[in-house]
Amino acid sequence: MFRPDTLSLALALWLVGLAATAQTAPVGHSAPRSVVLTGKAGEAPLIFLAPGIVTVLLLDAPLVREAVELEGRARFSVVDVGERTVTLSPAVALGPAERLALRVTYREGIPSSAVFLLTGQPGQRDEVVNVLRPQQSGEACRVELAALRGQCEAQRQELEALKARPAALSPAAFMLAGGMDGSGIQGKDLNDACSKVRGTLHLQGCEVLGAATWSLMVFEVSNTADEPWSPAWAEVIPVAGGAPRRARAVLSGQPILSSGASTRVAVELEMPMRKSEARLTEPHTLRVCNGDGSRCLSIPNVKL
């Protein structure tokens, strides 16, 4: 049996051993830390990496995954980009003086991108880094909204320009569609009719073409008003009486005609089948209008 003093000594030695073991045990995982981006020029937070350690950057918004750029990609054994994460692990240690750039781009918000500098430091490593952006102020939101509206307007104008571009049509396809017969196309000068137009839209170079099943009026228009004008639709009204008929197509060299600008406009009208002698004989009033019809160009005595 242990004597009381022997038992006390053994217990004391056991407790001392536990304390020594606790003091010499290796340090566990590093604590997560947070990085708050300010968007200031030249901002590039340091991220500490170590071989065999996986470092995860947790971002507070979705990334453009295909836009992530990593300098020295071949030096990493793990590179994975998620919807809101970037996971890295170097194959070899990075020196304390090394700085490898990691650039990420956000899908939305300000700042729109961020640069991190990857480095190494003995005894220091990051395992989880929370990357945060500050809450946007009302003014920042307004700036971002204005930029998005500008992008949308540019895309709208590009779409309008594509819509205004005439479709390619070969002579063979044109004939098969019945657009012209053996008698060909007749043409007439319409500058006399265009000279009678009054208002802020001035015309010149007016002419009309007629074939078996269609008529086409072409003219150059100048916008002398302060506000822009965009020809969107047209109609013809028979002088002899009858209901207005919408044009089949209105094509413009410029989708939006700003103040002082000029462009060519073509108005295509579907006509009933007719012989050559009946073409370009019936007088009409031609109206070419913007989208809501608030501003129209009216040309009298157009023979279609």
Side-chain angles (χ1 to χ4, degrees):
M1 293 182 60
F2 285 109
R3 292 182 302 174
D5 56 342
T6 303
L7 181 60
S8 298
L9 178 61
L11 180 60
L13 290 173
W14 181 70
L15 291 173
V16 169
L18 281 180
T21 301
Q23 291 174 2
T24 59
V27 178
H29 296 290
S30 63
R33 70 182 179 100
S34 296
V35 171
V36 179
L37 303 175
T38 64
K40 294 180 180 178
E43 180 182 39
L46 290 177
I47 306 296
F48 297 96
L49 307 182
I53 301 297
V54 174
T55 300
V56 181
L57 276 67
L58 301 176
L59 298 105
D60 62 353
L63 298 173
V64 181
R65 298 173 63 177
E66 59 274 14
V68 173
E69 301 175 11
L70 175 61
E71 182 182 359
R73 171 66 180 80
R75 300 183 60 184
F76 290 81
S77 58
V78 176
V79 178
D80 182 72
V81 179
E83 183 73 12
R84 295 172 180 246
T85 61
V86 178
T87 304
L88 302 168
S89 181
V92 295
L94 302 180
E98 285 191 273
R99 301 289 189 270
L100 299 181
L102 169 67
R103 182 181 181 88
V104 301
T105 301
Y106 292 93
R107 292 196 179 277
E108 58 185 17
I110 297 176
S112 60
S113 62
V115 175
F116 305 92
L117 297 180
L118 311 178
T119 187
Q121 186 70 39
Q124 189 171 0
R125 66 186 187 274
D126 287 313
E127 294 186 33
V128 177
V129 180
N130 295 299
V131 181
L132 308 171
R133 293 182 298 176
Q135 293 277 338
Q136 294 190 47
S137 65
E139 181 59 29
C141 289
R142 282 191 289 273
V143 170
E144 185 178 1
L145 180 59
L148 289 174
R149 284 176 173 168
Q151 294 174 12
C152 290
E153 176 61 21
Q155 291 176 349
R156 187 191 68 79
Q157 293 186 14
E158 183 179 356
L159 177 60
E160 291 294 334
L162 289 173
K163 288 166 62 178
R165 187 177 299 170
L169 187 64
S170 70
F174 190 61
M175 291 296 292
L176 287 175
M180 187 171 62
D181 60 11
S183 60
I185 300 174
Q186 281 80 44
K188 279 188 178 182
D189 183 287
L190 280 182
N191 283 316
D192 184 57
C194 288
S195 66
K196 296 180 172 61
V197 174
R198 298 291 180 264
T200 56
L201 295 170
H202 294 176
L203 300 180
Q204 61 182 359
C206 302
E207 59 183 333
V208 63
L209 305 172
T213 59
W214 55 265
S215 288
L216 178 69
M217 182 172 181
V218 182
F219 54 86
E220 183 169 342
V221 58
S222 300
N223 181 21
T224 63
D226 293 333
E227 66 273 12
W229 182 67
S230 179
W233 57 273
E235 65 179 8
V236 290
I237 306 168
V239 173
R245 290 189 297 113
R246 279 292 182 109
R248 184 159 57 186
V250 176
L251 300 181
S252 175
Q254 297 181 34
I256 300 176
L257 198 61
S258 58
S259 178
S262 300
T263 192
R264 294 276 284 174
V265 175
V267 179
E268 181 184 345
L269 296 146
E270 187 174 0
M271 304 296 290
M273 179 65 73
R274 55 200 174 158
K275 295 181 179 180
S276 59
E277 59 269 20
R279 300 169 194 170
L280 309 184
T281 58
E282 298 180 10
H284 294 72
T285 297
L286 172 66
R287 296 177 70 242
V288 185
C289 303
N290 59 355
D292 61 5
S294 60
R295 189 178 176 201
C296 295
L297 170 65
S298 182
I299 307 173
N301 199 34
V302 177
K303 294 182 179 179
L304 302 174

